[in-house]
Amino acid sequence: MPTPILVLNCGSSSVKYQMIDIDNEEVLASGMVEKIGLTDGNITHTTGGHKETIDETIADHTAALALVTRAFHTWGPPLEDVVAVGHRAVHGGERFRETTLINDDVIDGLTELSGLAPLHNPPGIAGIKAAQQALPNVPHVAIFDTAFFSTLPPEAYTYAIDREVAEKYHIRKYGFHGTSHSYVSKASAEFLGKNVEDVNQIICHMGNGASISAVRGGVAIETSMGLTPLAGLVMGTRSGDIDPGIFSYLQRVAGMDAQQVDNLLNKQSGMAGLADGASDFRDLWAKIDAGDANAAQAMDVYIHRLISYIGAYMAVLGRVDMIVFTAGVGENDNMTRARICDRLAGFGVKLDPAKNTPRNKDATEISAPDSSIAVLVVPTNEELAMARETYRVMN
Ligand code: ADP
C-alpha cells in the first residue's frame, strides 16, 4: 500500500504536480496544466509510462484543479489515497521561516505577503484554495522558497538603506530557490559520503532563473537573490545585479514608468537581452558556434558574474570543500561548467574532462582527483524535497 503525497507548484498560468510514494520515493504520476485563463488550455498527465492529454479552456485555478482531479480519476492512481498535499510557496517573508501546515491564518499571512511577491504568491494562494476544495480531508502544507535562507546572518540579509524604511516595508534579502539549494546541499554531501555538518559548499542553481548560495555545515549563510528573485546572477531573461541607480535613471531619461523598468529587468534582460532574445543555453552555444558576437559576450558576462560570486563566497566561507552545479544549465551544460572551472584554476580547481560530460542524470564528481575543491553535478529534485518536507510536517 503506497503512501502518496501530492506536490503542487502553481504559477500564474500553470500548475505542475507530482504524486510521490513517500515510502520508496517513486513518482506515481506527474503532470502539468498549462495556459490557465486562455482558451487553448491543456493538461498532460503521465502515469505508468503513459502520457495522456486533454485540451480545453481552463478559466482559473479552480478549473485547473478540477482538471487535475479528473485526470487522476480517469487515468489513476486514485487521488483518494493521497495522505497530504505539499504546495510550493514562493515568498515566506519574515513570518514563514519553515515548512508550515496550512490553515486560514496561514492563508491570510500569505495574502499579506502578496505585495512582496505579486507574481507568485496570488496564484499560489488560488492553487491552495482550489486544492483544499478538491482534497478537503488531508493536511495541506506550504513549502517556502525562502525558508532555507532564513538562517542568513544579519550582515548578509541587511541592505544598507535607511533602517526605518527597510523595517516598515520589510526590505531585506530573503533568497529564493531554497528548496533546491537545501536538497542539493544534502544530496551532494551524501554523495561524497560526508556529513553535511562537516562541509562548506557553494551551490550554483543555474536554470532559467539562477541563484548561488554559500552553505556552511548545511546552514545557508549567503545567497545571491534578494528581496525579489531579480538580484544576483545573470539569468535567462532577468538582469541579476545592476546599479540600483539605473532604475531612476531610466525613469528620468527614458521616460519609463516603474512597470516598464520592471518588465525590462525581468523579461527583456539577462541572456535574452544581451543575445538578441536567446535565453536557452543550447541556442546561445549554437549562436556562438555560428560566430555571433552578442551571444559570445553574453556568455562572458554570465561567466564573469558567476565566478565573481564564487570568489566572494570563498571569502565568506573561508574554506570551500565543494562547488556544486545544478538545474537545467548546471546539470546539462558541460561547456559552461568548463568555462567556470577554468577561471577558478588559480585556486587549484581542476576538472576531469572525461567526467565533465553533457548530461549527468545522476550525481557525478567532475573534478580531477588533485583538484583543491571537489566539483560536482547534482540534479535537483524540488518535487521530492517538497514531498519529504510535507511528510515530515504532517507527522
Ligand atoms: P527553470 O526551472 O528555472 O525554468 P530549468 O532548471 O529547467 O529552469 O533550466 C532551464 C534551462 O536549462 C534552459 O533555459 C536552458 O538554458 C538550460 N538547458 C536545458 N537543457 C540543456 C542542455 N542540454 N544544454 C544546455 N542547457 C540546457
Side-chain angles (χ1 to χ4, degrees):
M1 190 58 190
T3 310
I5 306 262
L6 183 68
V7 294
L8 285 174
N9 181 352
C10 294
S12 56
S13 67
S14 72
V15 174
K16 293 184 199 142
Y17 61 89
Q18 276 192 11
M19 185 194 267
I20 296 173
D21 178 5
I22 203 66
D23 296 335
N24 56 13
E25 304 198 329
E26 185 193 336
V27 178
L28 302 174
S30 65
M32 170 142 87
V33 183
E34 286 178 292
K35 301 198 180 180
I36 297 170
L38 301 176
T39 48
D40 58 339
N42 66 74
I43 183 170
T44 50
H45 182 88
T46 304
T47 184
H50 297 284
K51 187 171 176 176
E52 313 283 356
T53 305
I54 307 173
D55 295 305
E56 70 179 40
T57 301
I58 303 159
D60 53 21
H61 285 82
T62 306
L65 261 298
L67 201 52
V68 173
T69 308
R70 205 162 97 210
F72 276 103
H73 283 323
T74 313
W75 295 300
L79 204 53
E80 298 74 49
D81 293 349
V82 163
V83 295
V85 184
H87 296 266
R88 180 174 185 209
V90 170
H91 213 309
E94 286 164 318
R95 173 171 166 188
F96 299 110
R97 300 170 67 87
E98 55 189 52
T99 303
T100 304
L101 198 62
I102 298 171
N103 55 28
D104 289 348
D105 182 48
V106 170
I107 293 183
D108 289 346
L110 282 170
T111 309
E112 276 168 31
L113 287 169
S114 290
L116 278 172
L119 294 179
H120 294 109
N121 277 24
I125 296 164
I128 290 170
K129 288 181 177 165
Q132 283 179 324
Q133 274 174 17
L135 292 161
N137 299 320
V138 298
H140 290 250
V141 163
I143 299 115
F144 294 92
D145 250 25
T146 48
F148 185 57
F149 299 114
S150 65
T151 53
L152 296 194
E155 63 272 23
Y157 70 66
T158 305
Y159 291 122
I161 61 174
D162 183 282
R163 234 178 241 292
E164 268 181 44
V165 174
E167 276 169 20
K168 182 165 178 199
Y169 297 105
H170 314 288
I171 299 171
R172 50 161 284 177
K173 179 182 280 192
Y174 291 98
F176 297 89
H177 291 144
T179 307
S180 174
H181 285 272
S182 164
Y183 174 87
V184 170
S185 155
K186 290 190 192 83
S188 53
E190 206 169 284
F191 177 75
L192 285 188
K194 309 211 174 207
N195 289 324
V196 76
E197 291 80 16
D198 299 333
V199 290
N200 288 354
Q201 303 165 301
I202 295 178
I203 314 283
C204 310
H205 177 109
M206 298 147 68
N208 203 12
S211 62
I212 180 166
S213 65
V215 184
R216 175 183 288 146
V219 177
I221 60 168
E222 244 306 5
T223 192
S224 56
M225 284 179 167
L227 173 81
T228 73
L230 182 55
L233 302 176
V234 178
M235 311 183 211
T237 64
R238 284 175 246 166
S239 62
D241 295 340
I242 57 162
D243 174 354
I246 293 173
F247 208 97
S248 60
Y249 177 77
L250 282 172
Q251 292 184 320
R252 217 165 5 95
V253 175
M256 292 183 169
D257 62 20
Q259 189 59 52
Q260 286 171 317
V261 181
D262 205 54
N263 268 340
L264 174 81
L265 299 179
N266 275 295
K267 298 188 177 147
Q268 296 160 242
S269 297
M271 302 308 265
L274 292 175
D276 309 292
S279 64
D280 189 297
F281 275 58
R282 288 161 287 198
D283 302 338
L284 284 157
W285 283 114
K287 275 178 170 252
I288 293 170
D289 283 346
D292 186 304
N294 287 349
Q297 199 213 29
M299 195 64 76
D300 290 344
V301 174
Y302 184 93
I303 306 282
H304 176 81
R305 180 82 52 85
L306 218 148
I307 58 138
S308 301
Y309 265 96
I310 291 177
Y313 290 180
M314 285 173 162
V316 165
L317 286 165
R319 182 199 87 222
V320 179
D321 302 302
M322 46 180 108
I323 297 173
V324 190
F325 294 109
T326 194
V329 179
E331 290 166 29
N332 295 296
D333 191 338
N334 58 327
M335 291 188 287
T336 300
R337 294 194 302 253
R339 288 273 308 267
I340 294 163
C341 292
D342 277 353
R343 295 288 299 276
L344 301 172
F347 295 100
V349 172
K350 207 195 266 183
L351 280 194
D352 179 342
K355 290 188 194 153
N356 185 32
T357 50
R359 179 70 186 127
N360 288 289
K361 268 201 161 55
D362 302 313
T364 319
E365 184 173 359
I366 59 171
S367 47
D370 58 343
S371 178
S372 59
I373 300 173
V375 182
L376 276 73
V377 175
V378 176
T380 192
N381 192 340
E382 286 163 288
E383 292 78 14
L384 176 58
M386 285 171 62
R388 286 179 183 168
E389 273 293 281
T390 304
Y391 192 64
R392 184 180 67 77
V393 167
M394 72 172 266
N395 289 308

